[in-house]
Amino acid sequence: VFAEDNQFSGKLDWDGVIAHGASTLAYIDLHSNCFSGTILVDIAETFTHLTALDLSVNQLHGPFPPNLKTVFLDVSFNQLSGSLPADLFRNGVVESFVGQMNCFEGDLPKDICEASSTLQNLVLNGLSSASECTNKFFDSGMIPIHTYRFINAVSGTIPKCIFSMPLLRSLQLSGNLLSGSLSSDLALSPSVDNMLLSHNHIEGTIPKIIQQRNWSVLDLSYNKFTGELAQDFDVDMDSRGVLKMEGNRLSGKVPRSL
């Protein structure tokens, strides 16, 4: 079923989707509409051959359904609430999960690391940043800058095992309330070349393994990183690469490579 990039609205008619043949449907792509309502609670049992599900950029709310077994899943830019779906990462097939800009709460589940043999793309920026779950407590008036407060934000630390997942290429965790530090002996998978950790509360020094490798995008901005950068700092970026470290508490001399 492909009905993306339209202006469909109202509650998502799951009976209509099922009518297309629930037992054989492999792809459901309804992104960029105005659908409301919830995700079918027994979607896993109803669509037994579902490979890809894209419900992004709608107005869906409520909890994430259990036991979903799909390779590609994008539910970003909705109003989904509750905890992140830990069982999704135990299904043995998930390769990409995009859940940014919703109303999730709680901690990052350690179960994410159960998908180490399959997961390649993990995009969890602003998990609690949908407008429906933030309070705007300062409006700048004429200047288009606003300050928001999370109501029940995703917080806690980043499970160390995530960084070493062997197939992971993109790790995006910006805009949450994640804290803690990155271990000096951090094991970082050679496949990761896109890492966004900005706008969190991560502190401590930046591990040397991060400072000496190839990146397409490395964004550590607006955290609480301290200490000096290694003088042999050598982040290899291509011509379109992005390196961002502003808004921290770094000190010392700027490496010549910068």
Side-chain angles (χ1 to χ4, degrees):
V1 176
F2 297 94
E4 71 276 14
D5 291 311
N6 281 289
Q7 299 179 15
F8 294 121
S9 60
K11 287 189 176 182
L12 186 52
D13 181 9
W14 287 105
D15 288 336
V17 178
I18 292 171
H20 284 79
S23 62
T24 58
L25 273 180
Y27 302 94
I28 300 177
D29 189 349
L30 304 176
H31 81 263
S32 300
N33 281 286
C34 298
F35 287 120
S36 58
T38 60
I39 302 177
L40 188 67
V41 174
D42 58 351
I43 188 171
E45 292 76 21
T46 303
F47 301 101
T48 54
H49 290 81
L50 193 61
T51 300
L53 176 63
D54 190 345
L55 301 175
S56 62
V57 196
N58 280 287
Q59 299 170 15
L60 301 173
H61 63 272
F64 197 91
N67 304 318
L68 188 57
K69 191 171 185 176
T70 184
V71 174
F72 173 87
L73 177 62
D74 190 343
V75 293
S76 59
F77 295 93
N78 279 286
Q79 304 162 27
L80 300 178
S81 57
S83 302
L84 283 169
D87 54 4
L88 173 70
F89 303 102
R90 298 193 296 266
N91 67 22
V93 299
V94 63
E95 294 180 7
S96 178
F97 176 50
V98 184
Q100 63 184 352
M101 299 300 291
N102 274 286
C103 295
F104 290 117
E105 57 187 73
D107 297 337
L108 292 181
K110 291 183 179 180
D111 302 76
I112 291 174
C113 299
E114 295 294 319
S116 62
S117 63
T118 58
L119 193 63
Q120 302 174 29
N121 187 45
L122 184 65
V123 181
L124 304 178
N125 301 316
L127 288 169
S128 314
S129 297
S131 58
E132 292 72 16
C133 52
T134 56
N135 285 336
K136 184 166 65 175
F137 63 90
F138 175 76
D139 191 326
S140 60
M142 297 297 292
I143 303 175
I145 299 176
H146 309 293
T147 303
Y148 295 87
R149 179 180 62 191
F150 293 130
I151 297 175
N152 290 304
V154 169
S155 57
T157 59
I158 304 172
K160 187 177 179 180
C161 54
I162 290 179
F163 295 98
S164 60
M165 297 178 73
L167 300 181
L168 194 65
R169 297 199 303 262
S170 181
L171 175 61
Q172 302 186 28
L173 303 174
S174 293
N176 294 294
L177 291 180
L178 300 173
S179 58
S181 60
L182 303 182
S183 174
S184 60
D185 62 348
L186 183 72
L188 191 58
S189 172
S191 61
V192 178
D193 71 348
N194 184 317
M195 187 163 74
L196 283 68
L197 303 180
S198 70
H199 294 85
N200 282 293
H201 298 310
I202 305 171
E203 56 189 11
T205 57
I206 299 173
K208 199 164 186 178
I209 193 172
I210 292 177
Q211 301 185 44
Q212 296 181 329
R213 64 172 299 148
N214 299 336
W215 295 101
S216 58
V217 178
L218 175 62
D219 189 351
L220 304 178
S221 61
Y222 298 101
N223 278 286
K224 299 179 180 180
F225 286 113
T226 56
E228 300 183 8
L229 295 177
Q231 287 306 300
D232 56 352
F233 184 92
D234 186 21
V235 172
D236 188 10
M237 317 289 289
D238 60 32
S239 59
R240 293 177 294 178
V242 177
L243 172 63
K244 302 184 70 175
M245 294 188 294
E246 70 269 24
N248 281 287
R249 300 168 184 176
L250 300 171
S251 58
K253 295 182 179 180
V254 177
R256 289 185 178 183
S257 58
L258 294 178

